[in-house]
Every structure is written in structure tokens, then in C-alpha cells.
Amino acid sequence: MSTTAPVPGPAPVPALARESATAPGYRPGRTLRLRVETRRQLRRRRTIIVGALLAALPFILMAAFAIGGTPSDGRNGPTLIDTATASGANFTATCLFVSAGFVLVVPVALFCGDTVASEAGWSSLRYLLAAPVPRARLLAVKLTVALGFSAVALVLLPAVALVAGTVAYGWGDLRLPTGGSLAAGSALPRVAVVVAYIFVSQLVTAALAFWLSTVTDAPLGAVGGAVGLTIVGNVLDAVTALGSWRDVLPAHWQFSWLDAVQPTMDWTGMIQGASVSVSYAVVLTALAFRGFRTKDIVS
């Protein structure tokens, strides 16, 4: 008969010991704070360049008007561009009109598409997760800061245009291309509505760029993919043969804000456009969080 004593198994770990397995003082909610991420993104060269270009655009348009003279009615009747030099409010509306289709898409795609992919490109993403920063919190902080910078970019252009246009063309009523005008006091709230709607309509581009940023390690791929698909949407919207199918394209509603600079503001188009944009943005953002939750981070 064997007299070998049984080997004792591992002692059970007390609940208190299991709870203290993490580092003392560690709180997931205090990792990668918003102000830290904001400072990091603010100091980046691309942020400074984008801000400088948006601030310079109104002056470039003013120089073009100075060289080319007063705008005249186009072939299809008067537009906002034809009243650009009437007042500072008109110049602001013109800057938004010429930039909303593409120029303002680029900074949104850049801020949202570069945010996660750049960390992977620098091989610092795995170190952030090893800190450890919870994956959901990392994405939430990154997306919040990216949307914040996108909002600032969308506000910067009309703000500079309003100040520069008022100095150059004077403070006056907002002349409407279809006739009539809006008093300067009521024009500013209308411009604020326009900027807010443009931001909401750009949420599709922001969410698309952010999703692509979580699936690729190449920032230019995420930014370029978002801009490229936005252009494809604009092209499809120009195909009138699609009929009512164009109503599901975010690009179909991107200029619905023009209803805000009419004698009587109509909310119908803007509500439909905002609904389409937010719906796409929610789905794409959910895909980003779902895919990144189980992604194998190797860089």
C-alpha cells in the first residue's frame, strides 16, 4: 500500500484578494482623460494646418471677389454667391455655400479618421491598452475629442468669414437671392442653424471615418476612404434615374440648410436630412465599437 501523502491543491483565493488584483488606485474611468487627449490632438501639426487653412479661406474668397469684381447672376438665376459682397452676413452664407459640399468634409474626415489609426501607425495603440485603458473608453474619448475638433472647425470658418466680411462689406441685412432680405439681428440665428445642420449632416462622414480608423492601421486609408465614399454619395445623388432611392443618401440632403436662409424657414428638409445622417452615424459607430472590442491589436 502506498504511503505517499496527497498533494494539496491550490488554496482558494479570498474574494478580497481577487478584488485587489489590479494596481492600487486603478480606476478605468480615470484613464485617458478628455483634457489629456485634447492637448495631444491640439499640439499636432495637422490640427494647426487645418485651422490655418479654414481661417484663410474667407480671405482667399475676398481676394477672388476683389480681382474678379462684383458677382453677377448666373445662368440659372441668382445664387448666394451673387450676393456675397452685399454684407458680412451674405459673405458668411457664401463661404458656407461653397465649402459645405467638400471643403468642410475634409477636416471632419481627418480628425475622426486619423484618431485611432494614427495610434496604430505609431505602434502606441497596444501600449495604451496595456496601461490599461478599457477599449470602450479609448474609443469614446477618441471619438468625443474628434467630434469636438470637427465642431470647432465648422464654427471657425463662418466666424472668421463674418468678422472679415463685416469689415470688408459692412454690417447689414442678409439679402436673399430670391428677393427680399433678413434683418441682421435675425440673420445671425439663421446662420447658427445652418452651421448646426451642417455639423449634423457631417456625422455620417465622421462615423464612417472613425469606423475605418478602427479597422486599418493606415490613417490616410481611413481619411481617404471616408472622403472617397462621400464623393461617391454625391455622384450617386446626381443620378436622377435613381428617383426616390436618392432619399436614403446623406448627400441628397446636404444643402437642405438653404431652407434656413429663406423669408420663411422650412424645417422639413433639414429634419429628414438629420434623421438620415444620425441613423447612418449610429450604425457605423456601433460597428466601430463592436469590431474593436474583439480586434487583435498587434501595433
Side-chain angles (χ1 to χ4, degrees), residues 54 95-96 99-109 153-154 157-158 198 202:
L54 290 175
C95 288
L96 290 172
S99 61
F102 180 74
V103 174
L104 293 179
V105 173
V106 176
V108 174
L154 296 184
L157 176 63
I198 292 176
Q202 293 297 337

Side-chain angles (χ1 to χ4, degrees), residues 105-106 108-109 112-113 201-210 226-227 230 277 284:
V105 173
V106 176
V108 174
C112 295
S201 66
Q202 293 297 337
L203 289 178
V204 178
T205 301
L208 177 60
F210 186 71
V227 174
T230 301
S277 178
L284 291 169

Side-chain angles (χ1 to χ4, degrees), residues 7 15 52 55 87 92 98 105 123 138 147 158 172 184 202 204 207 228 234 244 270 273 280 293:
V7 179
S87 67
T92 304
V98 301
V105 173
S123 297
L138 184 141
L147 289 177
Q202 293 297 337
V204 178
N234 291 333
S244 60
M270 288 187 286
Y280 277 104
R293 183 180 59 184

Side-chain angles (χ1 to χ4, degrees), residues 98-295:
V98 301
S99 61
F102 180 74
V103 174
L104 293 179
V105 173
V106 176
V108 174
L110 180 62
F111 289 133
C112 295
D114 178 74
T115 181
V116 178
S118 61
E119 298 285 358
W122 297 332
S123 297
S124 58
L125 183 57
R126 56 183 174 180
Y127 295 107
L128 281 175
L129 297 177
V133 179
R135 295 194 178 199
R137 177 169 178 79
L138 184 141
L139 290 187
V141 171
K142 289 282 188 180
L143 181 59
T144 301
V145 173
L147 289 177
F149 276 93
S150 299
V152 171
L154 296 184
V155 172
L156 177 63
L157 176 63
V160 174
L162 181 62
V163 174
T166 301
V167 172
Y169 309 121
W171 177 259
D173 297 343
L174 175 63
R175 286 179 49 192
L176 305 178
T178 55
S181 62
L182 294 174
S186 61
L188 288 181
R190 298 288 188 94
V191 172
V193 170
V194 170
V195 175
Y197 177 77
I198 292 176
F199 176 74
V200 173
S201 66
Q202 293 297 337
L203 289 178
V204 178
T205 301
L208 177 60
F210 186 71
W211 173 60
L212 292 175
S213 183
T214 62
V215 300
T216 180
D217 295 347
L220 289 180
V223 176
V227 174
L229 290 176
T230 301
I231 294 175
V232 170
N234 291 333
V235 172
L236 291 177
D237 183 59
V239 181
T240 56
L242 291 176
S244 60
W245 285 102
R246 295 186 300 165
D247 292 345
V248 301
L249 296 174
H252 185 67
W253 308 98
Q254 63 179 335
F255 287 106
S256 295
W257 59 264
L258 290 172
D259 294 336
V261 289
Q262 301 297 330
T264 302
M265 186 164 57
D266 185 6
W267 291 93
T268 305
M270 288 187 286
I271 292 175
Q272 291 177 325
S275 300
V276 172
S277 178
V278 171
S279 298
Y280 277 104
V282 169
V283 172
L284 291 169
T285 303
L287 287 176
F289 276 81
R290 179 181 176 85
F292 193 76
R293 183 180 59 184
T294 57
K295 181 181 179 181

Side-chain angles (χ1 to χ4, degrees), residues 27-44:
R27 295 181 183 177
R30 303 188 63 172
T31 57
L32 192 62
R33 297 186 179 183
L34 282 172
R35 65 172 180 269
V36 175
E37 179 65 15
T38 301
R39 284 200 300 264
R40 292 179 66 236
Q41 299 300 327
L42 185 61
R43 294 172 181 173
R44 294 188 59 184

